[in-house]
Amino acid sequence: MSVLDDQPLDGRFRCVHEGPVALYELGYGAEVDVMPHAPLDFYNVHIPLAGDGTLTVNRKELSSPLSIVGPGHEVSMRWNRDSVNRILIIRRQTVDEALAIRLGELPPSSLAFDPVIDDRGAPVQAWLGLVRQFAEFADSGLAARSPLVLGHFEQLLVNGLLDVQPHALSEKVAGRGSAVLPRTIRAKDFCADHAREPISAADMARAAGVSVRSLREGFQRHLATTPLAYLRSVRLNLVRRDLLAVAEGRAAGNVTDVALRWGFTHLGRFTGYYRATYGETPAQTLRNTNCPG
């Protein structure tokens, strides 16, 4: 940062909220040139509150300081002494995960937004209103007491931005909700094929081609469960199948053998899961099946 004309620097900086979507307020109190040393690896939204300034992105001056710049952009800025900006900092991962939920897969590269935000339309005005509401909410005592609501607010801002600001994937995501279901089905198939192996949620996410967070959101949205709870249900079904085979004389073994075969090493917890699912213990499955009709 360079202060121009030897003016005294009388700046203000306020952190309103830190997180995947962070919010700050910044003014310099002097005319300054600001030039980051390297291309950005996050998304930076400038919303002027007072004063004026100019931004240059990849050596092209923008027509308005109301703007969004992101990964790969080379940015320089000049702000006058009266300028105060509300600044949103959005992690690249947060945008990638929001896109993955809509597209069914992580984007191959960072998303490129049109840098200038045109606030003449009602949708953009509504989104800017959400930013103002977010600032008020983050300043309130409720934000600290309700992290779940705070997380939903962050997602609302990110998804709203994807809908109102033109970008390289606008046509693909326009009007789309979650597209994770096909990827969730791929993860379900992976569970069935690898249920005997010590797989994790990360393994399931890699097989589905999404992030772990997107996988969890897809399972919750479409199946009302978590990936690991779904994997456990698959294994319990396989346990019951094998127990019935033992009970009917089509296979050899006992409850412990079958439980260990399908990855249940804590027999007490296993019995609890089994009873909750089938209304009887594994031992009762063996006994009841062997009872005369």
Side-chain angles (χ1 to χ4, degrees):
M1 183 184 73
S2 301
V3 180
L4 305 181
D5 298 330
D6 295 324
Q7 302 173 67
L9 190 64
D10 184 22
R12 56 176 274 197
F13 173 78
R14 190 167 79 94
C15 174
V16 181
H17 170 66
E18 287 189 318
V21 180
L23 182 62
Y24 308 96
E25 291 180 3
L26 176 62
Y28 296 99
E31 188 171 10
V32 297
D33 280 341
V34 180
M35 182 177 294
H37 288 295
L40 303 180
D41 60 356
F42 53 86
Y43 295 90
N44 187 323
V45 182
H46 278 96
I47 303 172
L49 300 178
D52 198 6
T54 59
L55 279 81
T56 300
V57 177
N58 296 340
R59 301 183 180 180
K60 181 179 180 180
E61 185 175 311
L62 302 186
S63 59
S64 169
L66 177 59
S67 60
I68 175 170
V69 293
H73 282 155
E74 293 183 2
V75 182
S76 62
M77 298 168 275
R78 174 169 291 187
W79 301 107
N80 67 22
R81 64 179 302 166
D82 299 320
S83 69
V84 178
N85 288 298
R86 181 170 283 149
I87 301 171
L88 280 178
I89 302 292
I90 306 174
R91 296 174 188 170
R92 173 180 172 176
Q93 179 184 356
T94 302
V95 173
D96 285 350
E97 290 176 347
L99 283 170
I101 291 175
R102 296 188 184 207
L103 298 174
E105 59 186 345
L106 289 170
S109 60
S110 59
L111 185 65
F113 286 92
D114 289 359
V116 175
I117 298 176
D118 186 348
D119 63 350
R120 291 175 294 181
V124 172
Q125 284 290 337
W127 184 80
L128 293 171
L130 282 177
V131 177
R132 290 192 295 271
Q133 293 173 37
F134 182 61
E136 295 173 0
F137 175 75
D139 267 337
S140 73
L142 178 59
R145 298 172 60 181
S146 186
L148 183 60
V149 174
L150 192 61
H152 284 311
F153 219 138
E154 290 175 337
Q155 288 301 312
L156 184 63
L157 286 171
V158 172
N159 281 284
L161 182 64
L162 288 173
D163 288 327
V164 303
Q165 182 62 12
H167 52 78
L169 297 176
S170 289
E171 292 185 4
K172 290 186 176 181
V173 304
R176 295 185 66 173
S178 173
V180 174
L181 183 56
R183 299 286 174 169
T184 304
I185 291 173
R186 183 180 297 181
K188 289 170 62 180
D189 292 341
F190 180 80
C191 288
D193 294 339
H194 299 271
R196 196 186 293 253
E197 302 170 20
I199 62 177
S200 65
D203 296 322
M204 295 165 66
R206 278 192 293 272
V210 297
S211 69
V212 172
R213 181 176 176 179
S214 294
L215 183 78
R216 288 172 178 156
E217 290 177 348
F219 267 84
Q220 191 63 51
R221 185 187 303 270
H222 297 292
L223 302 176
T225 189
T226 66
L228 292 183
Y230 178 81
L231 175 62
R232 184 171 63 236
S233 70
V234 169
R235 287 172 168 165
L236 286 171
N237 285 334
L238 292 167
V239 165
R240 186 168 179 83
R241 180 200 66 185
D242 288 1
L243 287 177
L244 291 172
V246 171
E248 294 166 2
R250 294 183 285 108
N254 55 39
V255 170
T256 300
D257 294 335
V258 174
L260 293 175
R261 179 185 307 151
W262 296 110
F264 293 102
T265 57
H266 192 294
L267 296 182
R269 281 201 293 266
F270 158 69
T271 299
Y273 291 140
Y274 191 95
R275 182 191 291 114
T277 302
Y278 300 110
E280 60 184 15
T281 66
Q284 287 172 329
T285 298
L286 293 179
R287 289 197 301 269
N288 293 342
T289 306
N290 281 320
C291 288

